[in-house]
Amino acid sequence: THKFWETQPVGQFKDIGDTSLPEGPIELATPLSEVKQEPYNLPSVYEWTTCDMASDDICSEVYNLLRNNYVEDDENMFRFNYSKEFLSGVPARIRVRDEVVKMAEINFLCVHKKLRSKRLAPVMIKEVTRRVHLENIWQAAYTAGVVLPTPITTCQYWHRSLNPKKLIDVGFSRLGARMTMSRTIKLYKLPEAPVTPGFRKMELLDVPAVTRLLRNYLSQFGVATDFDENDVEHWLLPREDVVDSYLVESPETHDVTDFCSFYTLPSTILGNPNYTTLKAAYSYYNVATQTSFLQLMNDALIVSKQKGFDVFNALDVMHNESFLKELKFGPGDGQLHYYLYNYRLRSALKPSELGLVLL
Ligand code: NHW
Ligand code: EN5
């Protein structure tokens, strides 16, 4: 049972399959004057502070909390090490079917390892909800590796080895049956440079064309980000060690016809004498109209290998299924469940019906 989540406006397990329930907000917005004006009570000795992420010292404190206490895999071998650039809150517009909804994207919920299982998380979630309500936002989107009431979809992580020797040495992957190290290295070898004519890094002047390409692509998914030009500039314009975006500019017409992107999320390798950091690229938004999706994503693998990533990760969202197996991705041991707060879907989506990637 879920003593906390049962009290929240989220789809409940008991309601799965009940098609009489309407799609849309579960609770109505209230006048802001009716939103609780004071913070929720914390157990004594604790107090709330609002983190000014523009301050280097405060940003470092938050970064270190996460570096030491954030998400690990199920065998506690790796821990996400998000860089400071990721640690700011931005409101989002998410389209559900035909409706564009203002939402908060909730991420980085973290309780110090020494303070776990004391029911602090429900208080933190209620407090962030109250603060989001005061911004006149009534819905949220979030992902988690754990099952909560109730996923809008459940995605599988896939991994493409770029540096198989290191991945095996640190326990991220294993030498396959009847495989030697040299055969494995050969299996995952990639060309030195991308092969698609006109493949290049995205630039500021590409924002309008990339926005058009993405909006058109994302329109086919049941739940998707509603990107405008400002969003594309913020989330997709290349930033060293944060996000990489490439596009194909037709050598003939100079049209932008294809786009691929990935974000940088290293993991700390726990307790390995030889290595401290796993450099991982995560597939973000990709659109192919003229280049085959396979060739486009192979070029993304080639440039990520060139940049020194050890592994390229992807979820089975959007059309990703169509390249995963052929480009030698293998399924990981992790899943990612997607959730909406205060918005009911009539029924769950397939991962391929989801056009949303959260960092
Ligand atoms: S998912 C990553 C979450 N963070 C981590 O996994 C880091 C390592 N773990 C921890 O820090 C991406 C703690 O284990 C946490 C739980 C803090 C996770 N989401 O305090 P208690 C996100 O950041 C429920 C939601 O005793 P704890 C997304 C659990 O089911 N709920 O546990 C975050 C139980 O409730 P139940 C989670 O281990 C989205 C209760 O917490 C959860 O010391 C947040 C137990 O609390 C999770 N990942 O602390 C929701 N993990 O009903 C946003 C556990 O089952 C909602 N729980 O009894 C929207 C808000 C905004 C709305 C605006 C309109
Ligand atoms: C909020 N935005 O479990 C996200 N990762 O598969 C929060 N496994 O890296 C929620 N256990 O399978 C995040 N190697 C939930 C995910 C938490 C982290 C997590 C998984 C995803 C992962 C790796 C390492 C496993 C180590 C032991 C994994 C196998 C790779 C292999 C490469 C060759 C081809 C077959 C697969």
Side-chain angles (χ1 to χ4, degrees):
T1 58
H2 294 280
K3 273 283 154 278
F4 168 65
W5 280 109
E6 279 168 10
T7 68
Q8 298 298 299
V10 294
Q12 299 293 334
F13 288 119
K14 65 173 174 53
D15 297 333
I16 288 178
D18 184 343
T19 47
S20 70
L21 293 167
E23 190 154 288
I26 297 169
E27 285 176 358
L28 293 180
T30 61
L32 292 191
S33 58
E34 288 172 26
V35 176
K36 183 167 145 54
Q37 298 295 310
E38 332 66 47
Y40 283 91
N41 290 325
L42 283 169
S44 58
V45 310
Y46 299 111
E47 58 181 65
W48 296 109
T49 80
T50 301
C51 300
D52 172 11
M53 299 306 280
S55 145
D56 287 345
D57 287 358
I58 289 170
C59 188
S60 294
E61 279 192 48
V62 176
Y63 169 80
N64 285 321
L65 173 75
L66 295 172
R67 187 170 56 86
N68 296 320
N69 299 277
Y70 200 50
V71 176
E72 300 178 7
D73 67 294
D74 62 355
E75 291 165 286
N76 312 102
M77 298 172 69
F78 307 97
R79 189 188 304 125
F80 285 151
N81 182 12
Y82 283 91
S83 64
K84 290 178 182 175
E85 282 93 337
F86 284 83
L87 307 182
S88 63
V90 178
R93 291 177 320 283
I94 295 178
R95 182 181 52 73
V96 185
R97 318 285 185 201
D98 305 325
E99 213 88 63
V100 176
V101 186
K102 272 213 261 172
M103 297 201 195
E105 291 179 350
I106 304 290
N107 207 345
F108 308 117
L109 173 64
C110 185
V111 168
H112 193 288
K113 286 184 182 237
K114 293 197 168 155
L115 300 176
R116 298 274 169 88
S117 306
K118 297 174 184 295
R119 311 299 298 183
L120 281 170
V123 192
M124 297 182 68
I125 294 167
K126 283 189 276 182
E127 180 61 12
V128 80
T129 302
R130 188 185 73 82
R131 291 179 187 220
V132 169
H133 284 166
L134 289 172
E135 302 290 327
N136 202 21
I137 295 178
W138 305 86
Q139 272 73 31
Y142 49 105
T143 57
V146 295
V147 179
L148 304 164
T150 52
I152 59 163
T153 188
T154 293
C155 300
Q156 175 68 50
Y157 278 102
W158 291 72
H159 308 282
R160 197 332 177 147
S161 301
L162 302 173
N163 186 355
K165 165 96 173 58
K166 174 172 168 183
L167 294 182
I168 291 167
D169 286 350
V170 302
F172 187 90
S173 67
R174 293 195 203 143
L175 209 51
R178 289 169 274 104
M179 284 292 276
T180 61
M181 188 62 85
S182 54
R183 276 187 68 199
T184 306
I185 291 169
K186 194 172 156 202
L187 174 68
Y188 291 117
K189 217 170 156 48
L190 288 161
E192 283 297 315
V195 304
T196 310
F199 186 90
R200 63 165 175 84
K201 214 170 142 113
M202 178 190 174
E203 296 172 27
L204 183 59
L205 70 239
D206 299 315
V207 165
V210 168
T211 306
R212 263 180 273 129
L213 200 62
L214 264 169
R215 288 188 65 83
N216 182 48
Y217 179 65
L218 293 176
S219 67
Q220 67 190 295
F221 302 107
V223 172
T225 314
D226 183 65
F227 275 129
D228 66 17
E229 293 188 4
N230 287 323
D231 302 320
V232 167
E233 182 175 335
H234 177 79
W235 295 104
L236 291 168
L237 196 62
R239 278 208 249 173
E240 177 119 3
D241 298 327
V242 178
V243 63
D244 284 280
S245 297
Y246 292 84
L247 51 77
V248 181
E249 176 181 334
S250 161
E252 290 88 39
T253 65
H254 298 284
D255 286 343
V256 174
T257 55
D258 313 273
F259 176 80
C260 62
S261 59
F262 50 88
Y263 61 92
T264 298
L265 169 47
S267 281
T268 304
I269 304 171
L270 305 172
N272 186 285
N274 302 316
Y275 294 101
T276 58
T277 299
L278 183 77
K279 236 194 136 190
Y282 285 75
S283 171
Y284 202 26
Y285 291 92
N286 311 301
V287 187
T289 69
Q290 298 295 73
T291 307
S292 84
F293 206 20
L294 225 56
Q295 180 177 311
L296 179 73
M297 294 312 294
N298 202 50
D299 280 350
L301 293 177
I302 293 166
V303 293
S304 58
K305 169 72 189 172
Q306 280 176 336
K307 286 178 169 271
F309 288 98
D310 300 315
V311 63
F312 191 101
N313 300 332
L315 295 164
D316 54 357
V317 296
M318 298 180 265
H319 293 154
N320 290 357
E321 285 252 78
S322 71
F323 67 78
L324 292 170
K325 284 184 181 154
E326 262 194 285
L327 296 181
K328 300 174 187 165
F329 286 72
D333 62 2
Q335 291 190 326
L336 189 65
H337 309 278
Y338 276 77
Y339 302 95
L340 296 179
Y341 184 94
N342 193 26
Y343 204 96
R344 190 188 291 108
L345 291 194
R346 204 180 297 285
S347 59
L349 306 176
K350 298 182 201 124
S352 60
E353 294 171 321
L354 185 69
L356 173 64
V357 178
L358 300 183
L359 301 175

